[in-house]
Structure formats: C-alpha cells, structure tokens
Amino acid sequence: ALPLRLRNVRKVYRSGKKGVEAVKSMDLDIEPGELITLLGPSGCGKTTTLRMVAGLETITSGDVFIGTTRVNDLPPSKRNVGVGFESYALYPPLNVRENLAYGLKAGKRVADPDKTVDELADRLEMHDLLDLRPASLSSGQKQRVALARALIRKPPVLLLDEPLGHLDASARQHVRRELKLLQRQFGYTTIVVTHDQLEAMTLSDRMAVMDAGIIQQFGTPDEIFDDPANLFVADFVGEPSINLFTATVVRDGGRTMIRVGNDVLETAAQNAPDGAEVTVGIRPQDCTMKNVTRGLSGSIFVYEDLMEHGIARVNHPAVPDKPLVVQTPAELQLETGQSVTFSAPPKRVYLFDKD
Ligand code: ADP
Ligand code: MG
C-alpha cells in the first residue's frame, strides 16, 4: 500500500468568464492502507477532489503525491489507482464476468481470471449477475459491478465515489461490510466519497468533513463526533442532529455556565466572555435525565420508543418553535406533557460563535 498526499490542491472550473472554485487549498495526508471518507453536502467538492487524484480532472494548482511520486502530470492508467465512479463505463457487448475479467487482464497476466472473478463475486454476493449484460442491470446491480471492477486488480490506491448510493438498505449493509473487510485484507489505501454521515462513521479510519471546497475537520469518527471543530461539523455529523440554541455566557469564578431562560448549565468550553450571546450545541446522545439537579427543564412534546432507546422531544420555554431532542434509555417511558429536566456533561456542552 502507498501513502497519498495532497498539498495545497485547488480546482477552479472555468465556465465562460467566470470561475468556480470547487476545491480551495486542500491538504490531506492518508497513511498506507488507511480508509478515509470525504463527507459533505452536495456540491462541496468531493467528486472534484477524487477526480483530481484519479487523473480524470486537471489540477489547477498544488500537488498530489501517490507514494513518493508526484502524479499531477501522469495519466490515470499510470497512477496505481483503482477507480469506481458512478459514470464508470462497463463494456455493453460483454457480460459482467467478461467485464470483470477484462479489467483484470488490462493490468497484468493472471493465471486463472475466472477463479479470481468467482472469488470476488462470492464476496460481494453477485454470482447471479455474472452472465448478464450491463444493459439489463438495475442501478444497484451496476454499482456492485463497478465496485467489483475497481477492486479486482487489487490496486494500491482505491478511489470510490458514492459506491453504495444505489443499493437498497440490506444490500448496502452487506456490501459496506465486505468493502471494509476486503480493504483490510488487501490493504488498499482508500478514499470513499459519501454524503451519508452514517456510512462515513462506520467505514472510516478517519474522515474529512468538507463544506464549500474546504476540509472543515479531519479526524477519526470519534474525534469528529466528540470534538467538532465548528458549527458546520457539529450540525452535519450525528443522528439525530445536535440541538442548537441561543444562550448567554455566565462566568462564575473559574467555571463557565450558559443561561437559557431560567436554566443554567455548566460547560467546559473556555474563552467565552461573560455576557456573550453564543450558540450552544448539545447532542441528543449526551443528554441524561438521571439524577439531574440542575439542567434544562421543559415538557415532553413527543416521545418515541425505538426499542433500543427512546427519543424525547422537549419543549423548553426559552427555545421557541424547536423542541430539544433527548435520547433516553429504553427502560424510561415518558408521556406527552410530562415535566422533565435533563443535562449533559460539561465537556459535551459545546459553544459556537453566533453568526
Ligand atoms: P460534490 O461531489 O461534493 O457534490 P462536486 O465536486 O461535484 O461536488 O462539485 C463541486 C462544485 O464544482 C459545484 O459547485 C459544482 O457545480 C462545480 N462543478 C463540478 N463539476 C464542474 C464542471 N465540470 N464544470 C463547472 N463546474 C463544475
Ligand atoms: Mg459528487
């Protein structure tokens, strides 16, 4: 496996006189054999980044290194990458088996291509597709074949753009697990592009959360979940979404509190001046109602029992029109209208600048 490095990489698309800066000065260091995801909303520059690494798009400025080789000026076929893009063409006259074997042979001589194809087809549960032609495949089936084609040559670097997007829920779970196992087994250095934060959380060694052509944070799923770098990351990652509301900072000796209506809550955040208006973020998963003496008090608006846990939506008098979401243990049963008080550990009460 090879390391992958991006240094100051930019992409400006020219359309007429105007330019669109799709990727702005991106730095990224990926370890050999590491799987990272690029996660972000539609249009943030994920596909553009991947295409520049693959050699399918010119790099406006900056450098891409695969291993120790600067690959900016190398064609895709010389970059040691396997690519799986949505638009990646299969040859229509060939059936799936022939398509996969063709991808294999284009690389190097293989003793028994059929055996290699069969093994991979087993892993991805796609034996029933091998005799079919591309035209008769559903979009989900095409996606599996495209993934298999990217994997079959065991490339040192694997680049996948939304590889699971067209699969139904159960197929997605299976293929996601196999992808991760194959990646571990063969040690491909891998970039997976996705807009699905759950997929990113389950697949990634580290994830790069992107917005507007910029990496907002790069870290392990735990680091990103537990210590979001800014409001965008806090809001984009996590399901159910983080609670965000306005509050006032109260410095009390060495401690920092936030006040919302009549309630106060301690935060471990530093650097917030007394009296400042801030946006507070608290994750539903970090809230507790157990043994709470001081916290946020409100009344239950809706309670959902989801078996493994509950989700309570709590109306707070100082947070208008937006119930606060609290994840509760399964054994708790709550009624609409019931009064509750909840809090979160100070380290999990995040403060962000109000914009
Ligand atoms: P993502 O994959 O995150 O959805 P893209 O990399 O496809 O984002 O696009 C990033 C930005 O670049 C968007 O504003 C998009 O409209 C623009 N863009 C993408 N491809 C082109 C192109 N070929 N020409 C001009 N603008 C483009
Ligand atoms: Mg895209």
Side-chain angles (χ1 to χ4, degrees), residues 3 9 17-18 79 86 142 192 199 211-212 229 255 276 320 329:
V9 169
K17 278 181 189 158
K18 284 199 304 180
R79 290 193 182 194
E86 194 160 311
K142 274 190 191 135
V192 177
E199 194 164 298
D211 185 38
R255 297 195 306 170

Side-chain angles (χ1 to χ4, degrees), residues 50-302:
L50 207 66
R51 288 176 62 85
M52 287 192 286
V53 175
L56 301 170
E57 198 66 72
T58 58
I59 299 165
T60 304
S61 62
D63 301 300
V64 175
F65 297 93
I66 295 178
T68 52
T69 311
R70 180 178 176 276
V71 298
N72 288 47
D73 305 317
L74 294 180
S77 60
K78 296 266 161 61
R79 290 193 182 194
N80 272 319
V81 297
V83 296
F85 282 90
E86 194 160 311
S87 57
Y88 203 67
L90 299 166
Y91 298 98
L94 304 183
N95 68 23
V96 169
R97 175 183 292 282
E98 291 159 344
N99 263 287
L100 294 177
Y102 183 87
L104 194 57
K105 278 179 264 178
K108 51 180 182 265
R109 292 250 157 265
V110 219
D112 191 351
D114 268 338
K115 183 161 165 267
T116 311
V117 170
D118 282 325
E119 278 169 6
L120 189 58
D122 272 346
R123 296 291 295 266
L124 296 175
E125 287 182 350
M126 50 181 279
H127 252 118
D128 52 333
L129 305 182
L130 291 178
D131 296 327
L132 303 179
R133 305 250 160 148
S136 64
L137 301 175
S138 72
S139 56
Q141 292 170 333
K142 274 190 191 135
Q143 201 155 37
R144 280 194 196 203
V145 177
L147 181 62
R149 250 205 91 167
L151 288 164
I152 197 146
R153 279 162 69 179
K154 304 195 170 61
V157 174
L158 183 62
L159 307 172
L160 303 172
D161 193 359
E162 309 265 5
L164 312 174
H166 292 301
L167 302 176
D168 63 42
S170 75
R172 181 177 310 174
Q173 244 190 20
H174 173 79
V175 176
R176 187 174 67 199
R177 191 175 322 119
E178 282 306 319
L179 170 60
K180 180 95 185 194
L181 287 170
L182 287 161
Q183 191 270 339
R184 278 289 178 273
Q185 185 177 346
F186 296 109
Y188 324 110
T189 305
T190 306
I191 304 181
V192 177
V193 160
T194 179
H195 64 274
D196 179 338
Q197 48 114 3
L198 247 129
E199 194 164 298
M201 293 292 245
T202 43
L203 270 178
S204 307
D205 294 314
R206 288 186 291 172
M207 51 205 259
V209 184
M210 289 182 68
D211 185 38
I214 292 172
I215 293 180
Q216 304 288 327
Q217 189 170 4
F218 185 44
T220 65
D222 281 350
E223 283 165 359
I224 300 236
F225 188 83
D226 294 345
D227 200 6
N230 57 40
L231 188 57
F232 176 83
V233 175
D235 200 17
F236 196 79
V237 175
E239 174 62 36
S241 301
I242 193 166
N243 295 295
L244 296 170
F245 55 89
T246 301
T248 309
V249 174
V250 182
R251 303 296 303 241
D252 174 11
R255 297 195 306 170
T256 305
M257 323 289 286
I258 53 115
R259 182 174 349 100
V260 48
N262 297 322
D263 295 336
V264 288
L265 205 57
E266 185 170 355
T267 173
Q270 305 291 326
N271 309 330
D274 191 44
E277 288 250 293
V278 291
T279 297
V280 177
I282 303 179
R283 294 201 181 281
Q285 298 86 346
D286 291 330
C287 296
T288 177
M289 295 184 179
K290 209 173 170 186
N291 305 323
V292 176
T293 48
R294 186 168 63 184
L296 304 182
S297 297
S299 63
I300 298 290
F301 174 54
V302 186

Side-chain angles (χ1 to χ4, degrees), residues 13 20 22 41-48:
Y13 287 111
V20 178
S42 179
C44 73
K46 306 181 296 293
T47 295
T48 300

